[in-house]
Amino acid sequence: MSLVLGSGGARGLAHIGVIRWLNENGYRIRSVSGSSIGALIGGIYATRKLEVYEEWVSALERTHVLRLLDPTFGRSGLFKGERIMGVLRELIGDCAIEELPMPFTAVATDLDSGEEVWLRDGKLFDAIRASIATPLLFTPFKHGSRTLLDGALVNPVPITPTLDDATELTIAVDLNGPAQPRPTALKRPSYGKTPGGRRQRMQDVIASLQELPAVRSRSARPAQSTGPGFIDIAMLSMQLMQDTITRLGRQANLPDVTIEIPRNACGFHEFWRAEELIALGRERAARTLSRAETPHAGCAGDPQIAGERR
């Protein structure tokens, strides 16, 4: 099967739960395409080190997330994004995309032409950094001769890079699903204790964040007003735009199955809620795919679904 991972900030941690459920239930993921956080999670999964990232992000607290941000004094974005990329390279290890054990595509946007760019070779974390270059938040990323921005600007749920895959099933994860009453926090299932060496490495990486200068911004201070700030408005505006693009994209390239994560599951920046978001992804994958395999549910008895399982 081909897996398509959409954009949506911290809600993208639900991608981990979806992948976990798919692997545990016999689905063979043969290629991955992602925009923004979808490119980050998909790229790390393609390295076969998603468990390492999951353990690390699950240990993050609010202050750790703030300390991962590196303010810039330029005018093209609030943060450089170099600090988080450095931590992830240390944690996961960088490699060339063409050396990965499965096809992977990170989607970005060309700042000058507005074209959709598919990054399928070169350094993995360079491609990820380009794909997560959210306007206003992160500075654009220079990749070769191009200046790139977040892939969500042109293709929030990038199905098109998978159309030529030699697979029988395409599953897309849309992080901008219909808003729902705030779900009760779910508990992530345990996968066993982390081996001593790896556990110590996680603790060392998180401890190193304490040595970085704290990010002192308005977002870290008590709110002075009940109204949304300019970042909130920018993110909401971008989400509305992505909703329209996603709807149009689905009309042209409909995936076999779409797993929807409610758009109000968490805030764009709430990466400290990893455990409940991972659990939410598992729950939504189970609910959607169990329904898809139930007779008269729209994909009943679909040989594509059966054929893409072990």
Side-chain angles (χ1 to χ4, degrees):
M1 59 158 283
S2 300
L3 182 62
V4 179
L5 301 178
S7 61
R11 293 192 302 281
L13 296 174
H15 289 322
I16 299 174
V18 171
I19 291 171
R20 285 292 190 194
W21 190 92
L22 291 172
N23 286 336
E24 291 167 6
N25 287 273
Y27 288 84
R28 294 177 292 173
I29 301 173
R30 298 179 179 177
S31 76
V32 181
S33 171
S35 274
S36 200
I37 186 66
L40 190 152
I41 300 297
I44 293 175
Y45 172 71
T47 68
R48 306 299 193 195
K49 294 183 179 179
L50 185 60
E51 181 182 351
V52 176
Y53 175 79
E54 179 183 354
E55 292 168 351
W56 176 78
V57 77
S58 295
L60 289 180
E61 298 178 1
R62 189 187 303 252
T63 54
H64 298 144
V65 174
L66 291 175
R67 291 175 186 276
L68 284 169
L69 301 175
D70 43 3
T72 177
F73 298 102
R75 297 182 179 179
S76 59
L78 293 175
F79 307 106
K80 293 178 286 188
E82 294 175 3
R83 185 174 294 165
I84 179 60
M85 287 295 105
V87 170
L88 291 177
R89 285 188 178 96
E90 178 184 347
L91 191 67
I92 305 298
D94 209 349
C95 66
I97 294 175
E98 52 268 38
E99 296 174 354
L100 293 171
M102 68 177 67
F104 168 71
T105 304
V107 176
T109 304
D110 189 299
L111 175 62
D112 298 315
S113 68
E115 294 176 337
E116 180 176 339
V117 179
W118 295 355
L119 301 171
R120 291 175 157 174
D121 54 34
K123 290 295 185 181
L124 173 64
F125 280 102
D126 284 351
I128 290 172
R129 173 61 180 83
S131 190
I132 68 170
T134 306
L136 291 182
L137 290 183
F138 291 114
T139 57
F141 185 74
K142 192 74 173 178
H143 191 272
S145 61
R146 286 175 147 167
T147 301
L148 302 180
L149 289 172
D150 198 318
L153 294 170
V154 290
N155 202 344
V157 185
I159 300 165
T160 44
T162 69
L163 295 181
D164 292 331
D165 288 352
T167 56
E168 298 177 345
L169 176 68
T170 299
I171 295 178
V173 185
D174 182 1
L175 301 178
N176 293 299
Q180 296 183 6
R182 203 65 173 256
T184 302
L186 300 170
K187 185 177 181 181
R188 180 174 62 93
S190 173
Y191 297 105
K193 293 185 177 181
T194 306
R198 185 182 296 171
R199 178 180 293 276
Q200 184 61 51
R201 186 181 181 193
M202 299 298 160
Q203 293 173 345
D204 291 344
V205 171
I206 291 177
S208 71
L209 297 178
Q210 303 291 356
E211 301 173 4
L212 301 173
V215 176
R216 302 187 183 278
S217 65
R218 291 185 182 272
S219 62
R221 300 172 187 170
Q224 301 297 318
S225 169
T226 57
F230 82 96
I231 291 295
D232 299 314
I233 293 173
M235 293 300 101
L236 288 171
S237 299
M238 188 170 172
Q239 180 169 298
L240 291 172
M241 177 192 68
Q242 291 176 29
D243 289 348
T244 301
I245 296 172
T246 300
R247 285 197 302 270
L248 293 173
R250 282 189 187 174
Q251 292 175 11
N253 304 297
L254 192 66
D256 299 296
V257 177
T258 299
I259 298 169
E260 293 184 324
I261 305 299
R263 70 185 64 189
N264 63 333
C266 75
F268 185 88
H269 59 292
E270 294 181 321
F271 284 88
W272 55 85
R273 295 175 58 188
E275 291 200 355
E276 65 179 280
L277 290 165
I278 292 169
L280 177 62
R282 290 175 60 88
E283 185 270 329
R284 293 304 165 110
R287 180 192 301 185
T288 302
L289 285 160
S290 296
R291 185 170 63 244
E293 294 177 356
T294 301
H296 311 300
C299 296
D302 193 330
Q304 292 182 330
I305 294 179
E308 287 294 318
R309 300 181 70 171
R310 294 187 183 91

